[in-house]
């Protein structure tokens, strides 16, 4: 019996999907201890936007450590943090005229979301936050209240209050409606908040992902997002975008909403922002909101991770020019084109997404599981998401070489065809 | 205006206490960008038990990165994780006959506490957790409910339910009683839970630190802890020790409770366990409890930090023999002896603690603040804790060289004398 | 200064609308201490279905008291209670093949609703109850959670959890939709409960009024109610009808839903059931649900009001034959016809209702207030309801004599015309 | 099968203790339908302070009904209400210099308690209310949160938050301590509220009974009550006395606290205040607190019960002079003397109480049940209370004739002796 079977908690999950022991990794490939290589379309659940052991980053990090740079600094000032903050300000914030302050929380996405919810409640003096069906925001009790999936919610063991869920993303013509009910969710929300007898009081904030990644790669329409932001302003609520999985270049631009004409009050970042899987979480907060914080009100031991500042600073070099983002758009195009025939061949199959995050909805979880397993056998790491796990999610590193991208897509298409056709044959 | 003033959130705190920019760090010393060195009695809030840039760890980490080891693995298996788990099992668990499973949560202490609370509620089907006055368990909503300090609680913006607080640490003769009310808290708890009309139902768990570090270095008596564990068994509740700040060698033994004759159901670890400030959090859970988890019910992007496994593996080498722990005990003795005269000289001053965590309670927060500030001027990093920040806390790296330890203690004693005497003079 | 101004709480309300001191009352008339008579279209907020001091009841009650009948009996057996229960069983339950048990709660509607919610949660093991926008269910904390009006909710001072509100009454074509959003609320609810990632778990119960009286005389469609009942069964939730204001003959039949083809699991009754304003509240509960109660789990000092049993027994005589119910239907027709021209004359004016409860929606609260005040001056007691108080509600005693009914309607129509025309003139 | 068995809810309770059908009642006697008479030491759970069908009241009520007095008036003004309010002001409030306003809530004790809790939360802007172990305050969700008994609490089906329970009634020497833990609860509370890291924030109110009637006739000491009131003022919390069961003359004075030197901010009254079992509930509220109410924020259909005003007005005549209160004191003395020998004979037996409420604690619920049953057989109605039902509670009408009082006491003593001795013999 391995030490994993002997001593690791029953809660372990991905190791059941990929039952090998990984040893090495570089850019879009991982190698197991037997030397078998896998193309990685999973990227550590969307963390490794710049690939495993990105060479710009490994070099900088090794240099930093070898020169005795401060590695752990809480919220003290360090030269590494200064470098990261200056770079982020110059490359990301200033070109967008964003006045936002940077708040470093404990280095997990859930912690950033908790901080955002606290601040929204503080600023408005209200308690309820609105989140959306299929949204995923984390596992700690505050963020979990906003996460929609009942499997995760059931683990809480206590009622998850002070968050109300509504349908996600519907626009006037309802193509993206996840409820299939034909309603217009913005009109509904507007009606609810204009009516003092609706039973539902105005919220502290609307909290959402522009693309629900774990929720099944559901893409909100530009119109819906703009209308929601407008509604938030009208009812005096904050507009918070959780860009943890789809920010940092994933959609072909630094923020997932750069082309959507919205101006969030708070933006939650984590995953890719820390560079090479080195943990960081950061909220961008409008200054007039940020000033409601008192020093140290929301702390966290690991909120000053200088190795992550160093690696994250290297990640920002990918945004100093538009080369990588151009590639992401091209790659995204290529990925969509590769999958399109599947949607044509099988009525149950749908493809959604933007940039280098795509969802291949195969209709049910059993099929998706079969596809994931057979891809793994064929040397492709990929995972499923969405209700019942019915959506195969493609989130390769943004830096994936053309050859790996093509090979991975070929495997996926071939495996999907095989799974769909075996079912027909049966 | 610096980038920090321009762009960092108003919530920043420690940088206000130590208003410099740090650049380098090694073992018990940090150096600011102007080259001024500071002896570090704060150790990153108790994270850096083995010093800044511990050479065993920097070497192992650099080797790991340069060989393209997997750095980010969620809960997949990796060779680095296997090495850490095997080492931990052999060095820590087996010699103590501890059957506990290892659950890796998101790499913050608060996340480990949240997972422990979820599991306790799942196992017992109860909702309330008992925590204690002055306890500190984290900032996310579940853990924050257990944290006692009103300053942190007020930031929640929603009611913090499902946790009940009671007085900490009283034994039969009440010397450790933090309420000064002469009551015997275990008898009270027993009476409450035996009475179906007390208004208070039996809890899912008792959650506590054996030494409340942030709470003011309050040390629970062995008798009280044993009685509490007995009560937990009687009422069918779990007994959870949050050893995040005082575990991993801090008290002269790996666990803070190795000499206390208790057997916790769940032990929460973070901070020092990850090695050199590299983030990790881990719960040790008795197997019969752990099996209540379903796969992936409590997830977290950064729950597989292989750099932390590599550094943490090196940290475990300090427990392969008893050299360091002997030193910790000797150093602790030296520290206590250095401070004892202060307690004799000033009736308001008290010293508490165990091993290399000591609290110098100077009676009020203003004095403590003056001491912290003047120590900083004199080249010593130290911080305060406890209600109103009245306790100066000493948590130097366990590996602090004798000379640095002595110098630091000399500065602290001299500054404390000066502050106390200036007050008398005024 | 009167004793009322001197000593009555600032919370008093109706006495501000009708600033006189009432002295006598008989059937549909009240007389103030100066001898001025008022026709009563308010009937004690829908309590006095059989008029003030109904002669059948006053005689029976006086006889009962003078013969030393037990007046206060908690849930002991009394001959008066037996008589009431037998009469109710024979006249109401048996003809409808209703197997329901009778649970007498504390004699307020809110108490009956609280008991129903407790039982639904007990039976299902779930916590959330679904209630509807504009619903009114009472003022105690459990029932208040289901009441939609923010004015009442704000008085709670604590979060009102464990109830979710949805839009009321929409059918496929949405004519009754109170949100104006074009959605189909049953389809929405169905979608929500079929989706394990909607963020909303199946409820313990759906709690609703078939006609929202306080909510503005909103009438649910038969189709919507049947679909909701069907959904309740599908998701394993109870279907609870709060018939407190519109039951006991108000709509032309004993229950408001006798002609709607639904079969509620629990029916909450109060107001009219106690006869002459003598307090009683009673839940009708299906036997298989009722058996989940343990003795005395939901008590209340005044749950055995024998004067109310005696008066209520007399009230049941009105249902031993169909005379009164025929009159109610005819009167309702007459009332609707009297108001119809107002809706034709003024585009802002709408009339809703059924039987002898009608709502005259005049578009805003200021108009309604003016109408109520001028009616009072003209000798008609009437009150407003709905969001912002914009709906003038007609709930005269069912026993109102033809002449009083006509006079009252004439006053109302004339006053409404005057108010609407003065506004036009201005 | 009787209609009760056939149709009454399984929740019925007292009818199981007294399995007969009562028909008539006068003063301290009830008669069943077979003509058997019972002396009543239960008085409708403390409602019938002036006996069944008190002749002053029946006459006044019959006159009122026969003259077509208004019976149901919500919070409109009526002549009957004016008479009651003036009488109450003149007889009760003015002689005590009490400036309190009178708030009439829905006519159940639980409703009065809910209103008091709402107002306390409104005034202070705080959420938590402190209640006490063994306290009983009602069954609706807000009041139930304050009720200590787990049997009732378990019926809620949702968490009961925003109330914290502490030990009741301990004074410096702890004789009344119900927890047996030797602690001094006021010192504990003081310590908790002075410590910003206790985990427990200052409350909106302290809510308590001076004598816990349902809780087992536990009598708080004068010293404890005064210290608690002082603490309430210090921490900015309201001091609320629930005098529902032990007010209105029960202890030998109108309020239970007339001789205790306290000045409650809010006093909740119900039960006896309505006269002859006719329902009324009323809060007395200091004017500066009352003005925080807005009109109609806490309503209730039956908050204007004029029959209860008429009967209650008659009840007040018993306080126009001190005759009855003198008798109550004498009767209380006689009752205590009758029971004292039981406490001497049996070490398990204790007697507590004041005026005409006494508790005979017989050590366990089985004995108490046997005593209650055998008393019933012998013609005495009496009930048990306290944890596990171990306390036999004596609350006869204050107007009980000497002969009935003596006969009832004789039966109780004889039955208790028999039960205690049979146990010894066994």
């Amino acid at each position: 019996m391995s030490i994993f079977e002997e001593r690791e908690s029953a809660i372990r999950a991905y190791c059941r999907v990929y039952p090998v022991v990984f040893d090495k990794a570089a850019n879009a490939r991982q190698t197991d201890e037997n030397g078998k290589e896998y193309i990685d379309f999973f990227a550590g659940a969307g963390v490794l936007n710049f690939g495993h052991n990105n060479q710009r980053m490994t070099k900088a990090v090794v240099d930093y450590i070898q020169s005795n740079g401060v590695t752990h600094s809480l919220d003290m000032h360090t030269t590494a943090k200064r470098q990261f903050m200056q770079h982020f300000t110059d490359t990301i914030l200033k070109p967008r005229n964003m006045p936002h302050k940077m708040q470093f929380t404990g280095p997990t996405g859930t912690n950033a979301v908790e901080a955002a919810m606290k601040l929204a409640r503080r600023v408005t003096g209200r308690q309820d936050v609105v989140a959306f069906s299929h949204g995923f925001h984390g596992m700690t009790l505050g963020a979990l209240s906003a996460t929609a999936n009942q499997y995760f919610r059931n683990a809480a063991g206590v009622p998850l209050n002070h968050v109300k869920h509504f349908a996600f993303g519907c626009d006037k013509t309802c193509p993206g409606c996840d409820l299939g009910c034909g309603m217009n969710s913005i009109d509904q929300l507007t009606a609810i908040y204009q009516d003092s007898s609706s039973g539902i009081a105005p919220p502290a904030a609307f909290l959402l992902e522009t693309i629900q990644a774990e929720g099944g790669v559901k893409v909100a329409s530009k119109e819906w997002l703009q209308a929601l932001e407008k509604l938030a302003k009208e009812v005096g609520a904050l507009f918070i975008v959780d860009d943890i999985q789809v920010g940092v270049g994933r959609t072909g631009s630094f923020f997932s909403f750069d082309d959507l004409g919205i101006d969030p009050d708070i933006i939650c970042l984590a995953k890719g922002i820390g560079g090479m899987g080195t943990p960081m979480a950061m909220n961008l907060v409008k200054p007039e909101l940020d000033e409601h914080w008192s020093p140290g009100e929301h702390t966290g031991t690991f909120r000053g991770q200088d190795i992550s500042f160093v690696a994250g600073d290297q990640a920002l070099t990918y945004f100093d020019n538009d080369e990588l983002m151009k590639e992401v758009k091209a790659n995204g195009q290529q990925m969509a084109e590769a999958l399109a025939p599947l949607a044509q061949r099988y009525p149950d199959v749908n493809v959604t997404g933007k940039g280098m995050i795509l969802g291949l909805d195969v209709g049910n979880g059993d099929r998706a599981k079969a596809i994931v397993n057979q891809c793994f056998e064929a040397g492709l790491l990929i995972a499923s998401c969405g209700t019942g796990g019915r959506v195969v999610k493609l989130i390769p590193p943004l830096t994936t070489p053309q050859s790996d991208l093509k090979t991975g897509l070929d495997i996926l298409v071939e495996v999907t065809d095989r799974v769909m056709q075996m079912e027909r044959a049966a």
Side-chain angles (χ1 to χ4, degrees), chain A:
Chain A
M1 193 163 64
S2 77
I3 191 71
F4 300 113
E5 288 162 321
E6 194 186 324
R7 286 289 183 171
E8 190 166 12
S9 168
I11 206 166
R12 67 192 185 278
Y14 282 115
C15 58
R16 302 175 195 262
V17 182
Y18 313 127
V20 293
V21 179
F22 293 104
D23 189 29
K24 305 291 180 195
N27 202 356
R29 295 203 166 222
Q30 277 193 247
T31 310
D32 73 19
E33 62 179 342
N34 299 318
K36 180 171 174 186
E37 286 197 24
Y38 301 84
I39 293 172
D40 186 0
F41 271 25
F42 182 48
V47 168
L48 297 159
N49 282 4
F50 312 98
H52 292 271
N53 287 306
N54 180 290
Q55 295 298 306
R56 296 189 198 179
M57 299 174 195
T58 53
K59 184 177 180 319
V61 165
V62 165
D63 285 354
Y64 188 75
I65 292 174
Q66 287 181 332
S67 70
N68 275 344
V70 180
T71 55
H72 171 87
S73 58
L74 297 152
D75 55 4
M76 297 177 224
H77 297 329
T78 65
T79 48
K81 185 178 185 176
R82 179 164 61 195
Q83 167 67 14
F84 175 83
M85 287 182 67
Q86 191 67 57
H87 199 168
F88 192 86
T89 303
D90 294 342
T91 296
I92 307 299
L93 298 177
K94 282 192 179 162
R96 289 168 174 81
N97 288 318
M98 290 175 65
H100 295 67
K101 298 275 185 172
M102 299 156 81
Q103 178 184 357
F104 299 95
T105 67
T108 62
T110 196
N111 205 305
V113 170
E114 297 251 350
M117 293 172 87
K118 283 185 185 178
L119 188 59
R121 286 162 173 155
R122 162 72 55 87
V123 168
T124 60
R126 300 174 183 170
Q127 297 190 326
D128 281 351
V129 166
V130 170
F132 293 91
S133 289
H134 298 164
F136 182 95
H137 300 285
M139 291 285 111
T140 52
L141 222 56
L144 183 55
S145 299
T147 294
N149 191 312
Q150 210 59 42
Y151 185 71
F152 297 127
R153 295 175 70 83
N154 283 342
V158 292
L160 296 172
N161 295 321
H162 310 307
V163 173
K164 293 213 179 328
H165 283 87
F166 291 99
F168 176 76
C170 298
D171 63 15
K172 296 277 171 192
T173 52
C174 289
C177 175
D178 60 303
L179 291 180
C181 67
M183 74 176 173
N184 181 316
S185 68
I186 295 291
D187 286 354
Q188 181 184 33
L189 284 167
T190 304
I192 284 169
Y193 293 120
Q194 282 173 347
D195 181 347
S196 66
S197 288
S198 67
I200 301 174
F206 293 86
L207 167 65
L208 74 157
E209 305 146 281
T210 62
I211 300 172
Q212 295 183 321
E214 291 308 302
V217 193
K218 293 178 177 290
V219 185
S221 73
K222 185 175 177 174
E223 293 70 28
W224 186 82
L225 288 166
Q226 291 184 350
L228 189 66
E229 186 185 49
K230 184 164 165 285
L231 176 62
K233 282 200 173 41
E234 284 168 9
V235 303
L238 270 59
F239 187 65
I240 304 174
V241 169
D242 173 342
D243 226 23
I244 291 171
Q245 186 156 166
V246 297
V248 194
R250 174 56 60 188
T251 62
S253 182
F254 186 81
F255 295 114
S256 70
F257 52 81
D258 277 325
D259 57 349
L260 298 176
I262 56 173
D263 175 26
D265 295 305
I266 304 178
I267 301 145
C268 302
L269 295 172
K271 295 202 186 246
I273 192 71
M276 54 180 280
T278 31
M280 191 197 303
M282 175 172 73
N283 281 343
L284 301 174
V285 185
K286 286 193 177 161
E288 64 273 22
L289 305 174
D290 180 75
E291 67 191 16
H292 286 82
W293 281 123
S294 295
E297 274 189 315
H298 181 86
T299 67
T301 289
F302 293 118
R303 69 193 179 279
Q305 281 291 301
D306 293 81
I307 291 176
S308 304
F309 291 140
V310 170
D313 178 52
Q314 290 302 316
L316 291 171
T317 62
Y318 286 101
F319 300 92
D320 290 335
N321 59 52
D322 62 0
E323 257 177 66
L324 182 65
M325 290 302 99
K326 273 188 183 166
E327 274 177 48
V328 168
K329 283 170 190 154
N331 288 347
Q333 184 73 11
Q334 177 183 352
M335 290 160 67
E337 285 167 8
L339 300 187
L342 291 171
Q344 290 177 321
R345 276 201 284 281
Y346 311 105
D348 278 13
V349 170
N350 287 291
V351 179
T352 56
K354 181 180 177 185
M356 285 181 75
I357 175 166
L358 288 190
L360 179 72
D361 183 339
V362 295
N364 66 56
D366 287 339
R367 283 180 199 148
K369 198 175 175 185
I371 292 168
V372 165
N373 289 345
Q374 294 182 32
C375 282
F376 175 72
E377 292 301 321
L380 175 67
L381 300 179
I382 200 163
S384 65
C385 62
T387 305
R390 57 188 270 175
V391 179
V392 179
K393 184 170 65 170
L394 293 77
I395 38 171
L398 308 182
T399 54
T400 305
Q402 185 51 232
S403 58
D404 282 359
L405 189 64
K406 183 165 185 329
T407 306
L409 289 168
D410 287 349
I411 293 173
L412 175 59
V413 170
E414 187 190 319
V415 163
T416 305
D417 270 326
R418 192 191 315 150
V419 166
M420 298 302 289
Q421 284 165 16
M422 279 185 70
E423 197 178 297
R424 287 190 180 178

